[in-house]
Amino acid sequence: MYLIFKRLIDVLASLVILLFLFPFLILVVFLIKIDSKGPIFYLQSRVGKNGHLFKVYKFRTMTNKQRDPNAKQTFWDDPDITRIGGLLRRFKIDELPQIWNVFVGDMSLVGPRPALPSLYEKYGDLANKRCCVRPGMTGWAQVNGRNSISWNEKLNLDVEYVKNLSLILDIKILFLTVYKVF
């Protein structure tokens, strides 16, 4: 029953957020276009609820030049990060287009972060356990270590979230997210 209520909250909240942030999002689009050539959005395949693949939206924060296909992670000092991109990443503004993913039902405001298909395949059963709910813009692993913990620790925190899913936990995660971002 909570999952139905959670989805209703996601739809209403994402619609309000999209309407409220629309002028700001247009400003970000303009800044990205004047800062560097290339598309406005960066789309990447991710694994959603029950293993469903979907495209996650982010504002593009890097130059449009070809990158090393073996690069797994981008660091703060990467020369390919644009001037505006660095600012967008610092305050997690690059993640705001995912509100659209929430609105259309690919994601939730709170849940395990959507995994890359390669990570989903690598962690098998543990990854499957976290994928019985919609992935979130923020989650229990993000407020409990984010990039300072291993993938295995993140997956265990995600499974813990799924087991303890509740409105109180979602509210706690949202407040902790706002606190940690600012």
Side-chain angles (χ1 to χ4, degrees), residues 104-159:
V104 298
D106 293 327
M107 292 177 64
S108 180
L109 291 174
V110 179
R113 287 294 294 156
L116 292 166
S118 59
L119 287 170
Y120 181 77
E121 292 166 9
K122 180 179 178 181
Y123 287 96
D125 190 47
L126 197 55
N128 275 332
K129 288 178 183 174
R130 71 192 288 279
C131 287
C132 65
V133 298
R134 281 184 177 87
M137 289 185 66
T138 187
W140 194 230
Q142 283 62 48
V143 298
N144 283 293
R146 196 172 161 247
N147 290 336
S148 65
I149 59 177
S150 71
W151 276 108
N152 210 36
E153 289 172 298
K154 287 179 189 180
L155 290 172
N156 284 317
L157 285 167
D158 288 341
V159 170

Side-chain angles (χ1 to χ4, degrees), residues 2 5 33-34 59 67 103 127 143 145 160 167 171-172:
Y2 176 63
F5 179 67
K33 286 311 276 181
I34 63 170
F59 282 126
R67 302 212 14 107
F103 182 73
V143 298
E160 180 183 326
L167 178 62
I171 291 170
K172 180 178 181 177

Side-chain angles (χ1 to χ4, degrees), residues 8-170:
L8 180 62
I9 291 171
D10 283 340
V11 170
L12 294 174
S14 61
L15 180 61
V16 168
I17 293 168
L18 283 169
L19 292 173
F20 179 74
L21 289 181
F22 187 74
F24 176 71
L25 297 174
I26 295 299
L27 174 64
V28 172
V29 165
F30 177 73
L31 292 173
I32 290 169
K33 286 311 276 181
I34 63 170
D35 187 43
S36 63
K37 293 179 181 174
I40 296 164
F41 298 106
Y42 172 72
L43 282 82
Q44 189 175 46
S45 288
R46 296 292 178 105
V47 179
K49 184 177 180 181
N50 299 324
H52 166 73
L53 284 178
F54 71 97
K55 296 286 187 192
V56 70
Y57 289 86
K58 292 184 178 188
F59 282 126
R60 182 179 54 82
T61 60
M62 301 182 74
T63 61
N64 212 26
K65 73 180 188 183
Q66 194 72 341
R67 302 212 14 107
D68 177 2
N70 297 318
K72 299 286 185 205
Q73 189 173 1
T74 304
F75 296 95
W76 289 106
D77 60 350
D78 191 309
D80 290 335
I81 296 175
T82 65
R83 291 174 303 199
I84 293 300
L87 185 65
L88 297 178
R89 283 174 175 235
R90 166 85 170 91
F91 293 103
K92 300 292 180 209
I93 296 167
D94 62 322
E95 308 275 345
L96 287 178
Q98 291 170 32
I99 295 168
W100 179 255
N101 288 110
V102 173
F103 182 73
V104 298
D106 293 327
M107 292 177 64
S108 180
L109 291 174
V110 179
R113 287 294 294 156
L116 292 166
S118 59
L119 287 170
Y120 181 77
E121 292 166 9
K122 180 179 178 181
Y123 287 96
D125 190 47
L126 197 55
N128 275 332
K129 288 178 183 174
R130 71 192 288 279
C131 287
C132 65
V133 298
R134 281 184 177 87
M137 289 185 66
T138 187
W140 194 230
Q142 283 62 48
V143 298
N144 283 293
R146 196 172 161 247
N147 290 336
S148 65
I149 59 177
S150 71
W151 276 108
N152 210 36
E153 289 172 298
K154 287 179 189 180
L155 290 172
N156 284 317
L157 285 167
D158 288 341
V159 170
E160 180 183 326
Y161 167 80
V162 170
K163 288 180 182 176
N164 298 298
L165 191 65
S166 71
L167 178 62
I168 299 296
L169 182 57
D170 282 358

